Amino acid sequence: MLFKDTSTNHLVEVADIVTLSNPYELTVVGRYLWGEEMQDPEVFDKTQLSFLSGEALPRCWHDSRYRDREVRRLRCGTRAGEDGDYYQGA
C-alpha cells in the first residue's frame, strides 16, 4: 500500500498492513519509491505517514488509547460535555 512521508513528500510502500493498523506498533517498515532500483527497507514513524490525498492516518492506527475518553464516559455515566481529562470514578 502506498503512503506519503509528510516530512519529505516522497512515496513510501508499506507491505505489512497488519503492523500499520496495530495501534501498539509506533513504527512500520517500508521502502521509498524513487529511482529504478528497489530501495532498502527503512523504519518509518506512523505519525509521519499520510494517505496520498494528504489525509492523516486514522488515530486508531497509532494511538492505543484513542477510546479512553469514551470508555470513561460510559463507565462513569457522564455526558460528552461534562467529560474532562481527569478520573471521575469513585
Side-chain angles (χ1 to χ4, degrees):
M1 193 168 191
L2 292 178
F3 296 95
K4 182 170 59 171
D5 183 359
T6 56
S7 61
T8 62
N9 284 331
H10 291 296
L11 293 179
V12 175
E13 180 183 23
V14 176
D16 190 7
I17 303 302
V18 174
T19 302
L20 182 68
S21 62
N22 183 353
Y24 296 102
E25 295 285 339
L26 301 177
T27 59
V28 66
V29 176
R31 298 174 189 261
Y32 279 118
L33 291 179
W34 62 34
E36 295 181 13
E37 296 180 10
M38 184 175 280
Q39 304 298 315
D40 293 332
E42 296 182 36
V43 177
F44 294 93
D45 186 7
K46 287 200 258 182
T47 58
Q48 294 296 319
L49 295 177
S50 68
F51 290 106
L52 298 180
S53 64
E55 182 180 357
L57 297 181
R59 186 174 165 203
C60 62
W61 285 11
H62 59 84
D63 183 7
S64 63
R65 301 179 63 112
Y66 75 102
R67 293 192 69 190
D68 283 358
R69 180 175 278 184
E70 179 182 353
V71 170
R72 183 173 49 237
R73 188 177 73 232
L74 292 174
R75 284 187 181 169
C76 298
T78 61
R79 291 182 216 135
E82 299 172 356
D83 191 21
D85 286 336
Y86 57 90
Y87 179 70
Q88 298 178 359

